[in-house]
Each structure stands twice: as C-alpha cells, then as structure tokens.
Amino acid sequence: MAESRLVSDLTAMVGVWRDELTATDAEGVPVLWDHHGGIPGAFPYTNLVYVDFDGVKYQQTNVTIAGRDLHERSFTATVRDGVLIFDRLGPEAPEHRGVSGGPGLVWFVATNLGDSGLQRYAEPDLIRIDGDRRWRDTVLWRNGALARLLHVEGTRVSVSTTELHPLDPRPGGTAVHGQRSVTTNYQSQPQTDTASGSEFQEVQL
C-alpha cells in the first residue's frame, strides 16, 4: 500500500541529520549567495535537522550550524488518507503534501499547481533515504521563472530527538522543535523583514 510505503520511509527519517547544502543557478553555475530563497544567504552551508514521526504526526526543525547565521525553521504535518498533509506554510500558501515515490523516495510537493501562490514561489523536494544517509534535491521557481537548484547530502548523527544534539548551537534547555514557521513568499505583496531582508517570520499559531 502507498500509505505503508510512505509511513515506512517517513519513519526511516526519524532522528537528527547533519545536512550539507549546495546550490547552482539555472545555468548550472555554483551559487555562492542566494538571493532567491525564502531566507537569503551564502552557499554552501550546514543544517542540523530534527525529524519526528509517530506514524501520523510529522514534525521537522532545521537549525543552521555553519556557513550562515543561526536560524531555526519548523514544519508540521499529518498523514491523512495515505498522504502527508503539511500545515499551511503561510498566507496564500497552497496545500503541500508528502507522497511516496517508491522505496526510499519521498516527494514534498504542492497538491494543486493551479494555486496562484505557486506563480510567485514553488519549490518541490525529492528526498532519497538509504539507512543513515539521505539526499534532497529541490528546484526553485520565483515568479514563474527557474531560479536555482538545491542539493543536500545528509548523514544521521543521532536516532534520538529527545534533547539538543551537541552540534546544536542553541542554548541548553531549548526545545528541540520550535514554533511552526510561516513564510510570506506566496503572498501577492509579501511583507519583508526590513532588518534581515528575510521573507520568513516566526509566529505562534
């Protein structure tokens, strides 16, 4: 069953991952500074990624640990009718879902390409899992144009997500998962943080 395959692969992702992120532009040239992503910044950089999944509820928190300033982003989702449905990512954001692409493959994609927000920002993910290694590739479109390609190579550094990993630069006692992140990338007139230039904002929902 597709649900069993998806649940199995999401379960295989549970733990703490050290992800190394690189990017190229639409011509295949390495990107050293990304102006197109939701959070502008340098490439390459490194994230620590916490993934929890109990068979129904999915939670993920990314923490920047090298190459960029410390930043935390958290996402939540629930398995319904055989697919993983993400909580909306922000104002005018389309529904996103996780679906099985076969053994060891998970796609994170928009449900309906007709949603207007996708004309402003679209970034489908393909994740491949093989034991304690995983790979993630994304293609980013901004305002309908191909902007950049992202490649991630990850290594699981712990199977436990009960406390901060030693590589995590956040203060001791901080909760592993932060509050759910919300982006304004999909809005027709996004409200940009003028101090950082970021179109992401952290809000309590």
Side-chain angles (χ1 to χ4, degrees):
M1 295 175 57
E3 180 176 3
S4 298
R5 181 71 267 165
L6 176 66
V7 167
S8 176
D9 286 332
L10 292 173
T11 300
M13 288 170 56
V14 170
V16 186
W17 299 81
R18 178 177 177 139
D19 280 359
E20 306 294 340
L21 298 90
T22 58
T24 58
D25 65 18
E27 285 72 46
V29 177
V31 171
L32 299 181
W33 184 272
D34 182 22
H35 299 279
H36 300 291
I39 303 172
F43 275 103
Y45 69 99
T46 306
N47 275 345
L48 205 60
V49 180
Y50 297 85
V51 177
D52 276 305
F53 180 63
D54 64 3
V56 177
K57 299 290 187 181
Y58 178 91
Q59 194 165 12
Q60 175 179 324
T61 294
N62 303 344
V63 181
T64 305
I65 63 172
R68 292 187 179 187
D69 292 339
L70 172 63
H71 190 81
E72 173 190 293
R73 288 172 60 192
S74 295
F75 308 91
T76 53
T78 304
V79 173
R80 297 200 298 266
D81 298 325
V83 298
L84 184 71
I85 303 297
F86 281 88
D87 292 319
R88 296 279 177 162
L89 301 178
E92 300 182 55
E95 180 183 87
H96 284 82
R97 58 177 54 197
V99 296
S100 174
L105 296 173
V106 177
W107 285 93
F108 290 166
V109 296
T111 299
N112 187 345
L113 286 177
D115 285 321
S116 61
L118 293 174
Q119 297 304 308
R120 293 179 280 277
Y121 189 96
E123 191 172 19
D125 290 347
L126 174 62
I127 302 168
R128 181 163 67 92
I129 311 112
D130 184 6
D132 288 333
R133 297 190 66 197
R134 70 172 192 162
W135 300 261
R136 179 167 66 91
D137 287 281
T138 77
V139 180
L140 172 63
W141 284 270
R142 295 300 300 259
N143 299 315
L146 177 62
R148 63 134 169 85
L149 296 90
L150 175 74
H151 178 67
V152 182
E153 296 190 14
T155 302
R156 188 175 357 232
V157 294
S158 177
V159 296
S160 174
T161 60
T162 58
E163 59 185 7
L164 297 186
H165 189 273
L167 292 173
D168 196 323
R170 293 178 293 176
T174 301
V176 167
H177 294 290
Q179 58 187 2
R180 182 164 63 86
S181 303
V182 173
T183 177
T184 58
N185 283 323
Y186 300 99
Q187 277 186 283
S188 54
Q189 293 182 328
Q191 302 299 308
T192 302
D193 180 338
T194 55
S196 66
S198 172
E199 292 179 357
F200 271 88
Q201 54 184 328
E202 307 298 333
V203 299
Q204 185 67 49
L205 299 178

